Amino acid sequence: MSETPSCFHCGLPVPKGSHYAVEIDGESRAMCCPGCQAVAQAIVDNGLTDYYRYRTEQSPMARQLVPEVLKNLELYDRDDIQQSFVSGRGDYREASLILEGIVCAACIWLSEHHIMQLPGVVSFSVNYATHRAQVKWDQRQIQLSEILKAISDIGYLAHPLDPNRQEQVYKREKSAALRRLAVAGVGAMQIMMIAVALYASVGQGMDANLKLFLRWVSLLIAMPVIAYSAKPFFIGMWRDLKMRRLGMDVPVALAIGAAFAASAWATIMRHGEIYFDSVTMFTFFLLAGRFLEMSARHRAGQAAEELVKLIPAMATRLSSDDKQEVVPVSELRPGDIVLIKPGESIPADGISLGGTSSVDESLLTGESLPISKHEGDQLIGGSVNIESNLQMRVQHVGQDTVLASIQRLLDRAQSEKPRLAELADRVAGYFVAVLLLLAVAVGLYWWQVQPQEAFWIVISVLVVTCPCALSLATPVALTAATGRLTRDGILTTRGHALETLARVTDVVFDKTGTLTRGQLSLDRILLKSDVNETLCLQIAMALERHSEHPLAKAILQSRSDLAALPAEQVQAIPGQGLRGTIAGKRYIIGNPGFIAQHLNQVAQQEHTHTTVVLADAQRVLAEFIFSDQLRPGVAQAIAGLKQLGCRVHLFSGDRKAVVQRTAEEIGIDHATGEMTPADKLSQLHALQESGAVVAMVGDGVNDAPVLAGAQVSLAMGSGTQIAQASADMVLLSEDLGQMVDALQVARQTRRIIRENLAWAVVYNLVALPLAAAGWVAPWMAAIGMSVSSLLVVLNALRLTQRSKKPVAGDKLLPAMKTG
């Protein structure tokens, strides 16, 4: 009876009837399963067959090679695990994921197309800026673990959104990019010093041996730059070619590879020109540009996770016998009763069961004032309790909360951004295809006419028409413009911002914190009795010293020089006002509705300003009018935008009367109040569907989805990190007049980009025939390529020249006429 053969890879018996084999060192070796066959074939394909000769024990089985993370994927199908990152509990579910291994737009295309082919996957989109994916699937047809496994099958690692893990991925990516940039920078500087000596030696009689020595030194220094620093370009080219597309990495890698190969050949053969300086400098500049782009993307991704931190980590849960237990928020379930103390964030969405307090919802709703909450009122997770204890029955947790819905709106709006980079790649692809065909044709022609010159002429064609100027035309102009704007106090965080801003037709502003300072102050006092203003203010200050409400602080800060009156028996009615006794007389202060109830009067109609009323036992004494002060120069900025042809809108979560009054004061014709984040995004989409190119200016978390959904967006420097992360530009100076300057710079940038592109095209149309005819030597091609790129850079540097800026006010409009 014949002995059962064993697997050459892992040593297990080979099942009868199986036919898995791999040819190793010229001999067919039996394998027990497809897994061992695949691993063994990979070892052979990579020239590592010595592994089998020198191993001291059997190889691990294929299933032992599966990463531990893949074994645990089924854990993500459990409902208790999904609660923290999956929305929906029915048949259709949606999750936020992080993808590791994404390096270019091709990765996005591959992952999206691969996952969308899976039965049961409803939608799958990846945001290249943050590497975050939104997936929606039918639970009846496919499980989340199967989707994660399918992603891993094509070479990427997907896991549920985890801010800490994402930060680690960012650090690894940044560290690798810095190392590549450093190697390219050091190598380029060293080779440039050698190149200066070689160029200077022309006609000066440098010793031939010394010249050869310097060439070899340049080759040795250039090798790590090509092999290590330029590696991403070659990987990108290989990926593009495998996908049968010609991206920008293809001409870049061809230029670097061909120039290096030609230079190495010339060095070895001791004849011909070398271009190590051009190769290393080109590599360094391209890596520097990619590093800056990556840094902006990382900042955006890290800041976006700040939204998650609005929810506290711990909560105080009450048991049936009113015992307090501090538990992680992730353990809360609908129906739980929690205690929320003053100063604490509300841990989930729910309904108030007891207690009266004011809650700050400004981060979520845009409402500038704390909102009074009573028994039966809805409480929003992430908002802050201000005055007194509240008890709440939890209704929604995890992905079902209002805060989570804002996060989903943000993710969805970001994924809907136009992918301008892919469009640029497609356009460049046609240029590259034509260039390669011409290079091949030129090579074939010269191979028949003068074979000894064919190689160098083809190199000249590739070098002289290398799309350096074409690839630099847009980035260098954008870099110059963003540098100028940064000095002026405008930070550009997305590469497309200026390009899109130049086409803007409509500008949408948020009110609180954008057009206004976001800080209420006492504007005036309206007397309603014979009591003088000073005494009314003293009475109000005596009572408000016992409150922590923002309006109380505004009253106390209005007149620090007034003598304090003693108040006794002060009682705070949370969310309403205060009662107290001063000099033996009872006074009450609070909102108009509370005072009307106290005096048995009908409440007045809605005020156009925030109002606090002071009364005694019989009558109203005074009304304190508060306002959120407009930022200086707002009206002039609005007028400037109109003069540039932009329509201006105001979207706000504040009261309609307040919003309308603000709009009339500064000259905005289209204003809407009491809007939720979803309302703002819906209205924004309506504008876009009508053909408008919209710029959004905001500052809060509630503005984040609209900022992300607009074609271009600007956040205030004092705004939340999530607003800045969703925005394409940040007004660090908080001077809205700077937006007018930004619009003018954007239009100038668009004009210079068009000039640069025109020059790049004209240069290639002229240089290509000369190189193909053999009239341009390789060294002349290198100079032509460098000069072409230099002209593009110098033209773009005109953007850094700042015209004299108006100070403010009336000087703004005349300055714009001459800008």
PDB file of all heavy atoms in Angstrom, residues 656-678:
ATOM      1  N   LYS A 656     -36.539  83.600  14.062  1.00  0.00           N
ATOM      2  CA  LYS A 656     -36.761  84.252  12.768  1.00  0.00           C
ATOM      3  C   LYS A 656     -36.702  85.769  12.872  1.00  0.00           C
ATOM      4  O   LYS A 656     -36.123  86.440  12.005  1.00  0.00           O
ATOM      5  CB  LYS A 656     -38.105  83.819  12.198  1.00  0.00           C
ATOM      6  CG  LYS A 656     -38.153  82.354  11.759  1.00  0.00           C
ATOM      7  CD  LYS A 656     -39.507  81.998  11.155  1.00  0.00           C
ATOM      8  CE  LYS A 656     -39.521  80.540  10.689  1.00  0.00           C
ATOM      9  NZ  LYS A 656     -40.845  80.173  10.128  1.00  0.00           N
ATOM     10  N   ALA A 657     -37.314  86.322  13.943  1.00  0.00           N
ATOM     11  CA  ALA A 657     -37.339  87.776  14.077  1.00  0.00           C
ATOM     12  C   ALA A 657     -35.930  88.339  14.233  1.00  0.00           C
ATOM     13  O   ALA A 657     -35.589  89.373  13.653  1.00  0.00           O
ATOM     14  CB  ALA A 657     -38.208  88.176  15.272  1.00  0.00           C
ATOM     15  N   VAL A 658     -35.096  87.646  15.022  1.00  0.00           N
ATOM     16  CA  VAL A 658     -33.725  88.098  15.234  1.00  0.00           C
ATOM     17  C   VAL A 658     -32.922  88.005  13.939  1.00  0.00           C
ATOM     18  O   VAL A 658     -32.160  88.904  13.586  1.00  0.00           O
ATOM     19  CB  VAL A 658     -33.050  87.265  16.353  1.00  0.00           C
ATOM     20  CG1 VAL A 658     -31.599  87.653  16.518  1.00  0.00           C
ATOM     21  CG2 VAL A 658     -33.804  87.439  17.659  1.00  0.00           C
ATOM     22  N   VAL A 659     -33.120  86.907  13.212  1.00  0.00           N
ATOM     23  CA  VAL A 659     -32.394  86.710  11.949  1.00  0.00           C
ATOM     24  C   VAL A 659     -32.783  87.769  10.924  1.00  0.00           C
ATOM     25  O   VAL A 659     -31.925  88.339  10.241  1.00  0.00           O
ATOM     26  CB  VAL A 659     -32.669  85.289  11.409  1.00  0.00           C
ATOM     27  CG1 VAL A 659     -32.076  85.128  10.010  1.00  0.00           C
ATOM     28  CG2 VAL A 659     -32.075  84.243  12.343  1.00  0.00           C
ATOM     29  N   GLN A 660     -34.064  88.057  10.816  1.00  0.00           N
ATOM     30  CA  GLN A 660     -34.525  89.037   9.843  1.00  0.00           C
ATOM     31  C   GLN A 660     -33.999  90.432  10.159  1.00  0.00           C
ATOM     32  O   GLN A 660     -33.599  91.184   9.267  1.00  0.00           O
ATOM     33  CB  GLN A 660     -36.059  89.053   9.801  1.00  0.00           C
ATOM     34  CG  GLN A 660     -36.633  89.853   8.637  1.00  0.00           C
ATOM     35  CD  GLN A 660     -36.177  89.323   7.281  1.00  0.00           C
ATOM     36  OE1 GLN A 660     -36.154  88.113   7.052  1.00  0.00           O
ATOM     37  NE2 GLN A 660     -35.793  90.238   6.388  1.00  0.00           N
ATOM     38  N   ARG A 661     -33.988  90.792  11.455  1.00  0.00           N
ATOM     39  CA  ARG A 661     -33.477  92.110  11.842  1.00  0.00           C
ATOM     40  C   ARG A 661     -32.003  92.232  11.510  1.00  0.00           C
ATOM     41  O   ARG A 661     -31.541  93.259  10.998  1.00  0.00           O
ATOM     42  CB  ARG A 661     -33.691  92.338  13.334  1.00  0.00           C
ATOM     43  CG  ARG A 661     -33.197  93.708  13.813  1.00  0.00           C
ATOM     44  CD  ARG A 661     -33.315  93.814  15.320  1.00  0.00           C
ATOM     45  NE  ARG A 661     -32.501  92.820  15.985  1.00  0.00           N
ATOM     46  CZ  ARG A 661     -31.194  92.948  16.207  1.00  0.00           C
ATOM     47  NH1 ARG A 661     -30.558  94.026  15.789  1.00  0.00           N
ATOM     48  NH2 ARG A 661     -30.528  92.003  16.835  1.00  0.00           N
ATOM     49  N   THR A 662     -31.220  91.160  11.776  1.00  0.00           N
ATOM     50  CA  THR A 662     -29.792  91.179  11.463  1.00  0.00           C
ATOM     51  C   THR A 662     -29.562  91.327   9.963  1.00  0.00           C
ATOM     52  O   THR A 662     -28.706  92.097   9.521  1.00  0.00           O
ATOM     53  CB  THR A 662     -29.125  89.889  11.974  1.00  0.00           C
ATOM     54  OG1 THR A 662     -29.327  89.766  13.385  1.00  0.00           O
ATOM     55  CG2 THR A 662     -27.637  89.891  11.681  1.00  0.00           C
ATOM     56  N   ALA A 663     -30.350  90.599   9.159  1.00  0.00           N
ATOM     57  CA  ALA A 663     -30.203  90.659   7.698  1.00  0.00           C
ATOM     58  C   ALA A 663     -30.481  92.060   7.170  1.00  0.00           C
ATOM     59  O   ALA A 663     -29.751  92.581   6.311  1.00  0.00           O
ATOM     60  CB  ALA A 663     -31.125  89.645   7.035  1.00  0.00           C
ATOM     61  N   GLU A 664     -31.521  92.684   7.676  1.00  0.00           N
ATOM     62  CA  GLU A 664     -31.855  94.039   7.225  1.00  0.00           C
ATOM     63  C   GLU A 664     -30.774  95.043   7.614  1.00  0.00           C
ATOM     64  O   GLU A 664     -30.479  95.981   6.872  1.00  0.00           O
ATOM     65  CB  GLU A 664     -33.201  94.454   7.829  1.00  0.00           C
ATOM     66  CG  GLU A 664     -34.385  93.644   7.282  1.00  0.00           C
ATOM     67  CD  GLU A 664     -35.670  93.973   8.004  1.00  0.00           C
ATOM     68  OE1 GLU A 664     -35.618  94.760   8.994  1.00  0.00           O
ATOM     69  OE2 GLU A 664     -36.736  93.438   7.604  1.00  0.00           O
ATOM     70  N   GLU A 665     -30.169  94.819   8.777  1.00  0.00           N
ATOM     71  CA  GLU A 665     -29.164  95.757   9.270  1.00  0.00           C
ATOM     72  C   GLU A 665     -27.908  95.758   8.411  1.00  0.00           C
ATOM     73  O   GLU A 665     -27.263  96.802   8.240  1.00  0.00           O
ATOM     74  CB  GLU A 665     -28.819  95.422  10.722  1.00  0.00           C
ATOM     75  CG  GLU A 665     -27.867  96.390  11.387  1.00  0.00           C
ATOM     76  CD  GLU A 665     -27.634  96.051  12.847  1.00  0.00           C
ATOM     77  OE1 GLU A 665     -28.371  95.206  13.401  1.00  0.00           O
ATOM     78  OE2 GLU A 665     -26.703  96.647  13.446  1.00  0.00           O
ATOM     79  N   ILE A 666     -27.540  94.603   7.856  1.00  0.00           N
ATOM     80  CA  ILE A 666     -26.268  94.517   7.126  1.00  0.00           C
ATOM     81  C   ILE A 666     -26.470  94.373   5.615  1.00  0.00           C
ATOM     82  O   ILE A 666     -25.493  94.242   4.876  1.00  0.00           O
ATOM     83  CB  ILE A 666     -25.417  93.345   7.645  1.00  0.00           C
ATOM     84  CG1 ILE A 666     -26.152  92.017   7.482  1.00  0.00           C
ATOM     85  CG2 ILE A 666     -25.039  93.576   9.101  1.00  0.00           C
ATOM     86  CD1 ILE A 666     -25.349  90.813   7.954  1.00  0.00           C
ATOM     87  N   GLY A 667     -27.713  94.358   5.161  1.00  0.00           N
ATOM     88  CA  GLY A 667     -27.951  94.371   3.724  1.00  0.00           C
ATOM     89  C   GLY A 667     -28.036  93.023   3.053  1.00  0.00           C
ATOM     90  O   GLY A 667     -27.774  92.916   1.853  1.00  0.00           O
ATOM     91  N   ILE A 668     -28.424  91.967   3.790  1.00  0.00           N
ATOM     92  CA  ILE A 668     -28.620  90.650   3.183  1.00  0.00           C
ATOM     93  C   ILE A 668     -30.087  90.516   2.779  1.00  0.00           C
ATOM     94  O   ILE A 668     -30.996  90.729   3.585  1.00  0.00           O
ATOM     95  CB  ILE A 668     -28.223  89.529   4.157  1.00  0.00           C
ATOM     96  CG1 ILE A 668     -26.725  89.579   4.427  1.00  0.00           C
ATOM     97  CG2 ILE A 668     -28.607  88.159   3.598  1.00  0.00           C
ATOM     98  CD1 ILE A 668     -26.231  88.505   5.369  1.00  0.00           C
ATOM     99  N   ASP A 669     -30.329  90.139   1.535  1.00  0.00           N
ATOM    100  CA  ASP A 669     -31.689  90.096   0.998  1.00  0.00           C
ATOM    101  C   ASP A 669     -32.407  88.781   1.265  1.00  0.00           C
ATOM    102  O   ASP A 669     -33.629  88.736   1.312  1.00  0.00           O
ATOM    103  CB  ASP A 669     -31.660  90.357  -0.519  1.00  0.00           C
ATOM    104  CG  ASP A 669     -31.042  91.713  -0.858  1.00  0.00           C
ATOM    105  OD1 ASP A 669     -31.278  92.671  -0.096  1.00  0.00           O
ATOM    106  OD2 ASP A 669     -30.325  91.802  -1.872  1.00  0.00           O
ATOM    107  N   HIS A 670     -31.663  87.695   1.415  1.00  0.00           N
ATOM    108  CA  HIS A 670     -32.280  86.374   1.573  1.00  0.00           C
ATOM    109  C   HIS A 670     -31.874  85.808   2.931  1.00  0.00           C
ATOM    110  O   HIS A 670     -30.717  85.423   3.131  1.00  0.00           O
ATOM    111  CB  HIS A 670     -31.835  85.430   0.459  1.00  0.00           C
ATOM    112  CG  HIS A 670     -31.951  86.033  -0.915  1.00  0.00           C
ATOM    113  ND1 HIS A 670     -33.138  86.140  -1.580  1.00  0.00           N
ATOM    114  CD2 HIS A 670     -31.010  86.584  -1.732  1.00  0.00           C
ATOM    115  CE1 HIS A 670     -32.947  86.714  -2.757  1.00  0.00           C
ATOM    116  NE2 HIS A 670     -31.660  86.993  -2.872  1.00  0.00           N
ATOM    117  N   ALA A 671     -32.818  85.738   3.876  1.00  0.00           N
ATOM    118  CA  ALA A 671     -32.509  85.278   5.237  1.00  0.00           C
ATOM    119  C   ALA A 671     -33.572  84.302   5.712  1.00  0.00           C
ATOM    120  O   ALA A 671     -34.766  84.505   5.487  1.00  0.00           O
ATOM    121  CB  ALA A 671     -32.419  86.460   6.190  1.00  0.00           C
ATOM    122  N   THR A 672     -33.133  83.222   6.384  1.00  0.00           N
ATOM    123  CA  THR A 672     -34.041  82.206   6.918  1.00  0.00           C
ATOM    124  C   THR A 672     -33.587  81.843   8.326  1.00  0.00           C
ATOM    125  O   THR A 672     -32.394  81.633   8.557  1.00  0.00           O
ATOM    126  CB  THR A 672     -34.051  80.941   6.042  1.00  0.00           C
ATOM    127  OG1 THR A 672     -34.288  81.314   4.688  1.00  0.00           O
ATOM    128  CG2 THR A 672     -35.135  79.979   6.496  1.00  0.00           C
ATOM    129  N   GLY A 673     -34.529  81.782   9.276  1.00  0.00           N
ATOM    130  CA  GLY A 673     -34.213  81.450  10.660  1.00  0.00           C
ATOM    131  C   GLY A 673     -34.824  80.131  11.095  1.00  0.00           C
ATOM    132  O   GLY A 673     -35.580  79.493  10.352  1.00  0.00           O
ATOM    133  N   GLU A 674     -34.482  79.733  12.336  1.00  0.00           N
ATOM    134  CA  GLU A 674     -34.985  78.507  12.958  1.00  0.00           C
ATOM    135  C   GLU A 674     -34.746  77.281  12.080  1.00  0.00           C
ATOM    136  O   GLU A 674     -35.615  76.430  11.901  1.00  0.00           O
ATOM    137  CB  GLU A 674     -36.469  78.655  13.293  1.00  0.00           C
ATOM    138  CG  GLU A 674     -36.757  79.796  14.269  1.00  0.00           C
ATOM    139  CD  GLU A 674     -38.232  79.933  14.594  1.00  0.00           C
ATOM    140  OE1 GLU A 674     -39.013  79.075  14.139  1.00  0.00           O
ATOM    141  OE2 GLU A 674     -38.605  80.894  15.302  1.00  0.00           O
ATOM    142  N   MET A 675     -33.542  77.178  11.539  1.00  0.00           N
ATOM    143  CA  MET A 675     -33.198  76.065  10.654  1.00  0.00           C
ATOM    144  C   MET A 675     -32.378  75.026  11.400  1.00  0.00           C
ATOM    145  O   MET A 675     -31.461  75.355  12.156  1.00  0.00           O
ATOM    146  CB  MET A 675     -32.409  76.565   9.439  1.00  0.00           C
ATOM    147  CG  MET A 675     -33.123  77.602   8.603  1.00  0.00           C
ATOM    148  SD  MET A 675     -32.125  78.117   7.161  1.00  0.00           S
ATOM    149  CE  MET A 675     -32.326  76.691   6.094  1.00  0.00           C
ATOM    150  N   THR A 676     -32.700  73.762  11.190  1.00  0.00           N
ATOM    151  CA  THR A 676     -31.890  72.670  11.709  1.00  0.00           C
ATOM    152  C   THR A 676     -30.735  72.407  10.742  1.00  0.00           C
ATOM    153  O   THR A 676     -30.750  72.893   9.601  1.00  0.00           O
ATOM    154  CB  THR A 676     -32.726  71.391  11.855  1.00  0.00           C
ATOM    155  OG1 THR A 676     -33.133  70.965  10.540  1.00  0.00           O
ATOM    156  CG2 THR A 676     -33.971  71.645  12.709  1.00  0.00           C
ATOM    157  N   PRO A 677     -29.719  71.632  11.154  1.00  0.00           N
ATOM    158  CA  PRO A 677     -28.651  71.287  10.211  1.00  0.00           C
ATOM    159  C   PRO A 677     -29.172  70.632   8.930  1.00  0.00           C
ATOM    160  O   PRO A 677     -28.683  70.909   7.839  1.00  0.00           O
ATOM    161  CB  PRO A 677     -27.765  70.328  11.019  1.00  0.00           C
ATOM    162  CG  PRO A 677     -27.959  70.764  12.433  1.00  0.00           C
ATOM    163  CD  PRO A 677     -29.397  71.173  12.523  1.00  0.00           C
ATOM    164  N   ALA A 678     -30.193  69.774   9.073  1.00  0.00           N
ATOM    165  CA  ALA A 678     -30.763  69.128   7.888  1.00  0.00           C
ATOM    166  C   ALA A 678     -31.465  70.149   6.996  1.00  0.00           C
ATOM    167  O   ALA A 678     -31.406  70.057   5.762  1.00  0.00           O
ATOM    168  CB  ALA A 678     -31.735  68.032   8.307  1.00  0.00           C
TER     169      ALA A 678
END
